[in-house]
């Protein structure tokens, strides 16, 4: 998730038991052109495998970016054909590629040829309800050398509205023999079991459900729920990690959405003034102290906060 799964977030998710974590979406052309943001997103953590997600619309830039990622520690490269954001599809990347499967397959083939590490593919059911083409694209992608496919159970035009269609993912399962991951609206361990049953997938990916609780994938995988003090400790540590990773000035800005998610999930009874004091302060010590106090004193069980 762009702007979410940076290195501090991935480190926490991995520590709490996530089976696999993926970088933020790295724009292929920007990586080749050596932009600072793309390098920040590419950076590896201390654990393996290091999975890098690339986005782009041109085979040349995707292939060149894949080479750079592989040369700088990527163990797996994931091709993004699922992002529904206007900024991404406006550049004919992300889920926009599903509107032109032949072009998408050319991009996939070029990226597969460029590197010796495994490539995976993330996409949606299709562009809209009249073009559900994920099974066909997945089948062709497998033939082109893709080693794993992840499907979000919505079309691009659904964005994140309504409910993900877990049953519709099964058509992809029937079209391919490589591993399949199902994604969309998985909030609980019971959801995970149900999406696996209905889709026939081999594993589950969790995205927005981990916002404000980086431990959540590990909990769904069988780990223990953190207690209120632990949640407060993790949130404060997460904040400190972001300031260390980005530098204080930039880190404070980047951290605010994460602080908002923590407070929304676990301190919803804060007054507007109390929340504003945390969200707008530029004093890291004040933020950490207020954040800890808010979460340690008002936090509820994270299963209830879902």
């Amino acid at each position: 998730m762009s702007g979410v799964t940076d290195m501090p977030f991935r480190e926490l998710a991995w520590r709490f038991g996530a089976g696999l974590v993926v970088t933020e979406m790295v724009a292929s052309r920007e990586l080749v052109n050596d932009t600072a943001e793309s390098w920040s997103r590419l950076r590896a953590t201390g654990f393996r495998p290091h999975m890098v997600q690339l986005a782009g619309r041109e085979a040349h830039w995707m292939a060149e970016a894949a080479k750079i990622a592989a040369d700088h520690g990527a163990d797996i490269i994931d091709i993004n054909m699922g992002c529904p954001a206007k900024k991404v599809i406006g550049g004919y990347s992300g889920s926009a590629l599903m509107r032109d499967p032949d072009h998408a397959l050319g991009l996939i083939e070029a990226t597969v040829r460029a590197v010796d590490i495994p490539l995976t593919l993330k996409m949606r059911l299709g562009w809209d309800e009249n073009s559900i083409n994920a099974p066909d694209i997945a089948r062709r992608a497998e033939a082109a050398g893709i080693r794993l496919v992840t499907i979000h159970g919505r079309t691009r035009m659904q964005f994140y509205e309504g409910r993900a269609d877990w049953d519709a993912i099964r058509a992809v399962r029937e079209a391919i023999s490589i591993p399949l991951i199902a994604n969309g609206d998985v909030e609980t361990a019971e959801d995970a079991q149900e999406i696996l049953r209905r889709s026939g997938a081999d594993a589950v990916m969790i995205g927005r459900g981990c916002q404000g609780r980086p431990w959540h994938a590990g909990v769904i995988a069988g780990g223990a729920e953190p207690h209120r003090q632990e949640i407060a400790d993790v949130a404060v540590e997460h904040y400190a990690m972001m300031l260390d990773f980005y530098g204080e000035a930039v880190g404070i800005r980047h951290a605010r959405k994460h602080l908002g998610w923590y407070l929304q999930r676990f301190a919803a009874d804060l007054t507007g003034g109390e929340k504003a004091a945390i969200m707008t302060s530029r004093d890291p010590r004040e933020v950490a102290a207020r954040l800890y106090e808010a979460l340690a004193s008002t936090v509820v069980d994270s299963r209830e906060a879902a």
Side-chain angles (χ1 to χ4, degrees), residues 39-69:
W39 281 106
S40 174
R41 294 185 173 207
L42 181 68
R43 282 174 58 184
T45 51
F47 53 80
R48 316 303 291 226
H50 178 42
M51 189 172 186
V52 174
Q53 186 180 86
L54 295 179
R57 65 178 179 179
E58 297 178 34
H60 169 74
W61 298 116
M62 286 291 288
E64 291 303 307
K67 293 176 185 176
I68 292 171

Side-chain angles (χ1 to χ4, degrees), residues 97-120:
L97 290 168
M98 300 191 74
R99 303 180 73 177
D100 189 347
D102 291 338
H103 175 74
L105 264 294
L107 182 151
I108 289 169
E109 289 166 353
T111 311
V112 168
R113 288 195 302 267
V115 294
D116 294 327
I117 60 176
L119 266 77
T120 65

Side-chain angles (χ1 to χ4, degrees), residues 122 124 151-154 158-166 169 182-195 198 204-210 213 216 220 306:
K122 172 75 160 58
R124 290 189 164 222
I151 301 292
H152 181 104
R154 288 182 175 88
Q158 288 178 277
F159 205 72
Y160 293 107
E161 298 298 321
R163 290 286 300 175
D165 188 344
W166 297 346
I169 299 173
N183 172 237
D185 295 338
V186 176
E187 289 283 347
T188 67
E190 291 74 22
D191 287 341
Q193 291 299 319
E194 185 66 6
I195 196 173
R198 288 164 57 179
V204 176
M205 177 178 285
I206 304 170
R208 291 172 299 148
C210 284
R213 47 181 180 179
H216 192 54
I220 286 181

Side-chain angles (χ1 to χ4, degrees), residues 24-43 52:
E24 300 173 84
M25 180 174 59
V26 179
S28 57
R29 189 164 186 166
E30 281 73 9
L31 180 60
V32 178
N33 288 334
D34 204 27
T35 67
E37 182 180 27
S38 64
W39 281 106
S40 174
R41 294 185 173 207
L42 181 68
R43 282 174 58 184
V52 174

Side-chain angles (χ1 to χ4, degrees), residues 74-95:
D75 300 301
I76 304 169
I77 291 173
D78 186 54
I79 297 176
N80 184 307
M81 282 176 47
C83 181
K86 288 183 179 180
K87 181 179 179 180
V88 175
I89 65 165
Y92 301 102
S93 300
S95 56

